[in-house]
Amino acid sequence: MIRNINKKIINFFIIFFLAVQIFIYFYNQRPLSEDFSKKNITVENFSSIVLSKSGITKIGSEKLNKIDEDNIYLEGSSYLENKEYKIYGENIFIKLKEEISNSNDPVKVINSMGVLKSKGFKNIDNEGIIIFKGEVEFLID
């Protein structure tokens, strides 16, 4: 009789602890894609190559902030370089889908004709258009 009660108590505790483990397992499960897509990603001293419709562009910055899947923010001293020009500036915002980059801070653009300095810019890369803001100074090589 006592053996039967001991077996029932042991079986009860085994089933109870298994049920608790199953509950903990299902409670702690979260889709990984939700966690990663909601987190902001920041990288310091960043440099990379981006392939776009208009060609290969090298980008770099003191600090890269990923805002979402289609937008990044190059914080601090930053640059964009491709075969046609080099843009050196600060705080550059890039829309990856539209291939548009812009900044309201002073920039220096170097191409085969010379050096251009401006108070800001908007680069529509897939159309090959760069719009400069404020005073513009161009030095011919």
Side-chain angles (χ1 to χ4, degrees):
M1 184 81 163
I2 293 176
R3 280 186 162 180
N4 256 354
I5 294 174
N6 284 344
K7 284 184 180 181
K8 287 182 181 180
I9 291 173
I10 291 172
N11 285 339
F12 171 77
F13 278 114
I14 290 173
I15 292 171
F16 175 75
F17 285 118
L18 283 173
V20 169
Q21 287 293 322
I22 291 170
F23 173 75
I24 290 172
Y25 174 78
F26 285 112
Y27 181 74
N28 283 332
Q29 294 298 312
R30 287 179 268 180
L32 291 175
S33 61
E34 280 183 24
D35 291 342
F36 285 119
S37 64
K38 291 181 182 175
K39 289 186 177 182
N40 288 339
I41 297 173
T42 302
V43 179
E44 293 188 18
N45 297 321
F46 175 80
S47 180
S48 183
I49 295 174
V50 178
L51 180 61
S52 62
K53 294 175 190 170
S54 60
I56 296 174
T57 302
K58 184 178 174 186
I59 63 173
S61 179
E62 289 178 2
K63 189 174 186 180
L64 175 131
N65 296 307
K66 181 181 175 189
I67 297 169
D68 57 34
E69 290 298 316
D70 298 323
N71 299 302
I72 58 175
Y73 176 64
L74 304 175
E75 187 177 338
S77 182
S78 309
Y79 65 88
L80 303 169
E81 294 181 11
N82 67 17
K83 63 182 178 182
E84 297 176 20
Y85 59 80
K86 297 175 184 180
I87 299 175
Y88 298 100
E90 292 192 14
N91 304 324
I92 299 173
F93 182 79
I94 302 173
K95 294 180 182 180
L96 296 172
K97 248 186 187 174
E98 294 101 20
E99 296 185 28
I100 296 174
S101 55
N102 67 321
S103 175
N104 293 324
D105 294 327
V107 293
K108 178 179 173 182
V109 180
I110 302 170
N111 66 13
S112 61
M113 296 179 358
V115 177
L116 185 138
K117 294 180 182 178
S118 172
K119 302 251 185 219
F121 78 100
K122 181 175 182 179
N123 179 17
I124 306 170
D125 202 33
N126 57 3
E127 295 178 16
I129 298 172
I130 302 176
I131 302 167
F132 297 100
K133 301 175 184 177
E135 273 186 38
V136 176
E137 177 184 342
F138 186 70
L139 304 171
I140 298 174
D141 283 342

